[in-house]
Amino acid sequence: MNTTIGVIGLGLMGTAMARQLAQSGWTVTGFNRHPRKLEDIPTAASLADLAKGNETLWLMVSDYPACREVIDQLGETGIRDHVVINSSTIAPSESAEIAQRVESLGGEYLEAPVLGSIPQAQSGTLQLLLGGSKALIERLDPLLRSLGTPTHFGAVRSGAAAKLAFNQLIGSLTAAFSMSLGLVQREGVDVDKFMETLRESALYAPTFDKKLDNMVGHSFENANFPLKHLLKDIRLFTQSACGQGIDTHLLIGLQHVLEEGVYAGHGNHDYSSLFESIVHEEPTTRH
Ligand code: NAP
């Protein structure tokens, strides 16, 4: 396969992925809507320029409107005979629509949302949740493996659905842990003892330890996965699951907590800052 790759979207993840691809030996050029210069990765002045030099275009942008805008701007000239790999987290129905648009413009589409964040992108240990044709995935295998472990879930929609299912767990587990940690702290229970017991139990998830220091130290500024994107994903999960006869009432509270976090200025902070919307600074009532 062609060894030149155009990465569209040089945000937190797109930048880390572009760097990892370049370190793995691919010739990488980046593009960002608001121009961004990186010392180590050349950038194209326009999407048209990027598409001219790169047969494979790897999208890592915020959401569905961003994906749609990029595809529309690339147009037939930028898409025909190109492969579009899309790692942005979007809904299955949105991904299917983008796939159809890409194919109608003469390109090939691979749905490839990723599980893992900046450290996993930097070390090439992301989990790539793939939806698309087996033949295309086989052709792209060396490229995909530069970023991590590819798993083929089935046709387009299935990788996006798996990704939303994983991110629903990120949100729900983090919220559930925040509530328990909050009560433990407020009742003066020894947090170390609580954690030791939790680690020995079937209730433990490694993500609890990953976020414990952030929550205890109220330190959320160093975001790998920003709260605003978790809110987007919980909304997408809710919309996608509602149409499938899955009761999502539990997520109404989580959405509310995440919205409160965004209004309080945590949108670009790490998603574990949802702790602040759950465990308020001062106890309001005592029972
Ligand atoms: P981010 O830092 O907020 O970056 C978003 C990128 O999207 C920026 O490059 C932004 O460009 C671009 N963008 C937004 N709207 C656009 C538009 N209309 N047209 C073109 N480009 C547009 O987000 P991120 O953390 O890298 O996440 C990117 C995607 O990956 C999201 O879907 C997120 O849910 C998903 N994801 C993130 C993580 C993570 O740990 N961070 C992990 C897995 C998946 P500008 O700079 O010009 O605004």
Side-chain angles (χ1 to χ4, degrees), residues 12-13 32-34 60-62 69 89 117 224 229 232:
L12 292 171
M13 281 297 277
N32 204 53
R33 175 182 56 168
H34 297 110
M60 195 48 166
V61 293
S62 306
E69 207 173 303
T89 305
S117 193
N224 282 336
H229 288 327
K232 160 187 67 84

Side-chain angles (χ1 to χ4, degrees), residues 64-77:
Y64 168 76
C67 295
R68 186 61 210 238
E69 207 173 303
V70 167
I71 299 301
D72 287 349
Q73 278 177 17
L74 283 164
E76 185 167 356
T77 320

Side-chain angles (χ1 to χ4, degrees), residues 237-253:
F237 182 95
T238 305
Q239 286 156 17
S240 304
C242 271
Q244 306 274 6
I246 297 162
D247 193 309
T248 54
H249 275 97
L250 278 174
L251 296 181
I252 295 173

Side-chain angles (χ1 to χ4, degrees), residues 42-282:
T43 47
S46 66
L47 279 171
D49 283 353
L50 190 80
K52 256 183 233 152
N54 298 281
E55 191 189 289
T56 305
L57 300 172
W58 201 320
L59 258 78
M60 195 48 166
V61 293
S62 306
D63 52 14
Y64 168 76
C67 295
R68 186 61 210 238
E69 207 173 303
V70 167
I71 299 301
D72 287 349
Q73 278 177 17
L74 283 164
E76 185 167 356
T77 320
I79 296 278
R80 181 161 294 286
D81 299 326
H82 285 70
V83 172
V84 174
I85 305 175
N86 192 1
S87 288
S88 322
T89 305
I90 56 176
S93 57
E94 295 171 341
S95 183
E97 202 191 307
I98 300 281
Q100 208 232 333
R101 180 94 182 120
V102 166
E103 283 158 15
S104 73
L105 294 170
E108 291 176 281
Y109 182 79
L110 179 64
E111 177 181 87
V114 296
L115 189 58
S117 193
I118 297 171
Q120 290 73 28
Q122 287 168 336
S123 56
T125 57
L126 288 169
Q127 296 200 55
L128 291 94
L129 318 174
L130 307 180
S133 104
K134 190 163 176 259
L136 179 60
I137 290 168
E138 278 171 7
R139 222 171 78 214
L140 296 175
D141 188 69
L143 175 64
L144 299 169
R145 284 189 189 279
S146 303
L147 284 190
T149 307
T151 300
H152 187 194
F153 281 90
V156 167
R157 288 184 75 103
S158 57
K163 173 62 181 164
L164 290 187
F166 285 122
N167 278 26
Q168 187 277 122
L169 285 176
I170 294 178
S172 292
L173 285 173
T174 308
F177 179 61
S178 296
M179 287 187 280
S180 292
L181 180 63
L183 183 67
V184 160
Q185 287 178 318
R186 288 284 145 85
E187 288 287 351
V189 173
D190 186 314
V191 171
D192 290 339
K193 279 189 190 154
F194 170 73
M195 288 306 297
E196 278 163 29
T197 311
L198 180 59
R199 283 184 205 109
E200 293 303 313
S201 80
L203 304 172
Y204 178 69
T207 188
F208 300 158
D209 263 315
K210 237 174 80 186
K211 297 302 174 188
L212 178 66
D213 287 349
N214 292 15
M215 292 175 181
V216 170
H218 302 278
S219 151
F220 306 104
E221 249 117 81
N222 252 344
N224 282 336
F225 180 37
L227 183 100
K228 66 181 178 191
H229 288 327
L230 182 59
L231 172 58
K232 160 187 67 84
D233 296 348
I234 295 301
R235 283 179 175 150
L236 291 178
F237 182 95
T238 305
Q239 286 156 17
S240 304
C242 271
Q244 306 274 6
I246 297 162
D247 193 309
T248 54
H249 275 97
L250 278 174
L251 296 181
I252 295 173
L254 178 54
Q255 269 188 63
H256 179 76
V257 157
L258 292 167
E259 280 162 3
E260 220 176 77
V262 170
Y263 296 138
H266 292 301
N268 288 318
H269 293 166
D270 191 73
Y271 68 88
S272 55
S273 60
L274 64 81
F275 179 80
E276 303 291 73
S277 307
I278 290 178
V279 184
H280 302 141
E281 256 174 48
E282 292 299 326

Side-chain angles (χ1 to χ4, degrees), residues 27-45:
T27 304
V28 178
T29 308
F31 173 82
N32 204 53
R33 175 182 56 168
H34 297 110
R36 249 199 97 183
K37 289 262 173 257
L38 303 176
E39 316 91 59
D40 46 348
I41 306 279
T43 47

